[in-house]
Amino acid sequence: MNVQQMELTASHPLALPVGVTLDRYIMHRQTAFPYATGELSQLLRDIALAGKIIHREVNRAGLIDLTGGMGVQNVQGESQQKLDMIANIRFSRALKNGGEACAIISEEEEDIIYTGNNHGKYVVAIDPLDGSSNIDVNVSIGTIFSIYRRVTPIGTEPTLDDFLQGGRRQVAAGYILYGSSTIMVYTTGHSVNGFTYDASLGEYILSHPDIHSPANGQIYSYNDGNVEGYEEGVQQFLNGCRKKQFTARYIGSLVADFHRNLLKGGIYLYPPTQKAPDGKLRLLYEAFPLAFLAEKAGCLATSGHQAILDIKPYSLHQRTPLYIGAPLMVENLVGMLG
Ligand code: AHM
Ligand code: MG
């Protein structure tokens, strides 16, 4: 084959480069920080690996009796699905085996999960499988994670203080969306990047580099069944969206609704309701990580009264109202709240 033929072959669609894998990207980022020890990189890889396993389970759930409920409730009083439990086990195991996390909190467990790695520098707050009501009906679901450097001395047993540091002290946060494809989006406090999982290669490939969300949008996402209980300002905002003929889109999986709005421009709302006067979503492993990532991508996240990341946490499973998305939409809404 001559040079010209080789060049022609190399530019053939089937010969194009696969792209940057998540592992390579993480390693590359690590070398940009001379004092980085690689532990956070390893932790991110552990989470990504558990995500691959969940991807597999989610995709064959209908085939191997993984759908349906466990017949028990979690700490939130919500019925646990089999896949909720499996995701919880997968992530806990990956983080225990990885060795970098000394403790975990999970939506599925009331207390701190000690990994036995008291020399680990990090703690992880996780919602292993968010959007439970969508599991059995093949609708998108997701994992949300948040990582802190521990504040208790290395070598000792981690405590509640490690988890109640406040959202601005997160060192990394992100989500894995199991949708029409599986994508992991995360930030370590700099840029926000998305990696789509190629199951045939077993690799996540950088597909959404340096995500910046639009400053404004035309999508609004909320549960209309709760609207009667919303405060007047929220109702006024929603009326405005209708008058402007914006698009209403609500999946009922926070990760999926958030991801769409992040890319296309929109706002997700979960205000206080009569049933849930403090809001439904959990601060530590739902609102904090998404708010951290949202701010890095140019979005805003608020409880209506303060930035989500400024809320002082006081308990592992506390809830918060959440308005998150395009900054101009969020500011417009906040201006209408009492
Ligand atoms: P979950 O953690 O039990 O799955 O609940 C969180 C989910 C979010 O993903 C979603 O946005 C919201 O609850 C939907 O709630 P609702 O069905 O009340 O609209
Ligand atoms: Mg959840």
Side-chain angles (χ1 to χ4, degrees):
M1 191 186 297
N2 63 31
V3 175
Q4 211 178 12
Q5 280 170 324
M6 268 175 66
E7 274 169 7
L8 264 178
T9 314
S11 65
H12 188 279
L14 287 177
L16 290 177
V18 167
V20 180
T21 65
L22 177 64
D23 278 355
R24 184 173 291 270
Y25 182 86
I26 291 175
M27 259 160 44
H28 176 71
R29 290 297 303 156
Q30 192 189 313
T31 53
F33 298 94
Y35 300 109
T37 57
E39 287 148 306
L40 180 60
S41 302
Q42 183 54 45
L43 190 48
L44 289 166
R45 284 198 289 261
D46 295 337
I47 290 171
L49 171 64
K52 286 185 196 177
I53 301 173
I54 306 305
H55 164 95
R56 185 188 66 184
E57 319 291 31
V58 164
N59 278 278
R60 58 184 187 158
L63 300 172
I64 53 166
D65 189 30
L66 279 183
T67 55
M70 293 286 290
V72 290
Q73 295 191 332
N74 67 10
V75 277
Q76 329 285 338
E78 296 149 351
S79 73
Q80 270 179 331
Q81 304 297 298
K82 288 178 197 163
L83 266 174
D84 278 334
M85 290 305 298
I86 288 178
N88 190 45
I89 292 167
R90 291 293 186 197
F91 276 100
S92 304
R93 193 179 287 153
L95 293 172
K96 280 180 187 170
N97 292 343
E100 316 301 346
C102 58
I104 310 162
I105 59 160
S106 159
E107 178 176 335
E108 302 305 328
E109 304 211 21
E110 184 151 14
D111 298 318
I112 295 176
I113 306 161
Y114 297 98
T115 60
N117 309 319
N118 283 353
H119 283 89
K121 281 189 194 155
Y122 295 97
V123 297
V124 180
I126 195 153
D127 183 351
L129 209 53
D130 184 66
S132 304
S133 65
N134 285 323
I135 290 177
D136 280 358
V137 285
N138 280 33
V139 176
S140 302
I141 45 188
T143 296
I144 313 174
F145 61 90
S146 156
I147 303 176
Y148 296 85
R149 196 166 287 118
R150 66 185 297 181
V151 289
T152 49
I154 292 172
T156 63
E157 183 154 285
T159 71
L160 206 57
D161 291 345
D162 292 311
F163 290 100
L164 302 183
Q165 298 184 41
R168 299 214 180 268
R169 293 185 58 98
Q170 291 172 96
V171 294
Y175 57 84
I176 304 171
L177 169 61
Y178 313 97
S180 49
S181 60
T182 290
I183 182 168
M184 174 164 162
V185 181
Y186 80 96
T187 179
T188 52
H190 306 279
S191 54
V192 176
N193 294 282
F195 298 81
T196 299
Y197 182 54
D198 182 335
S200 65
L201 293 176
E203 297 276 8
Y204 295 88
I205 308 290
L206 179 61
S207 53
H208 296 66
D210 200 11
I211 297 173
H212 289 275
S213 194
N216 208 350
Q218 304 205 338
I219 300 173
Y220 60 116
S221 312
Y222 73 103
N223 184 341
D224 193 62
N226 294 331
V227 79
E228 286 295 311
Y230 291 172
E231 67 179 277
E232 211 185 301
V234 178
Q235 300 207 24
Q236 200 189 330
F237 174 81
L238 294 173
N239 281 332
C241 292
R242 289 183 199 108
K243 281 210 186 88
K244 286 180 250 172
Q245 301 191 341
F246 284 179
T247 296
R249 287 282 181 275
Y250 188 70
I251 294 170
S253 282
L254 174 60
V255 173
D257 281 310
F258 174 80
H259 182 70
R260 181 202 48 245
N261 294 352
L262 178 75
L263 297 186
K264 295 195 165 182
I267 184 171
Y268 171 96
L269 308 91
Y270 211 110
T273 63
Q274 274 148 359
K275 255 197 299 181
D278 297 324
K280 177 185 180 192
L281 299 167
R282 275 51 58 117
L283 182 63
L284 264 62
Y285 41 81
E286 292 177 329
F288 269 170
L290 293 188
F292 186 71
L293 190 143
E295 285 200 3
K296 302 299 171 197
C299 294
L300 287 177
T302 171
S303 67
H305 301 289
Q306 65 183 139
I308 290 288
L309 294 179
D310 290 333
I311 298 176
K312 176 104 193 71
Y314 56 84
S315 86
L316 294 184
H317 299 287
Q318 89 193 57
R319 295 174 192 264
T320 178
L322 178 65
Y323 308 100
I324 189 167
L328 293 176
M329 295 181 94
V330 174
E331 276 166 3
N332 180 15
L333 165 75
V334 169
M336 296 179 186
L337 297 178

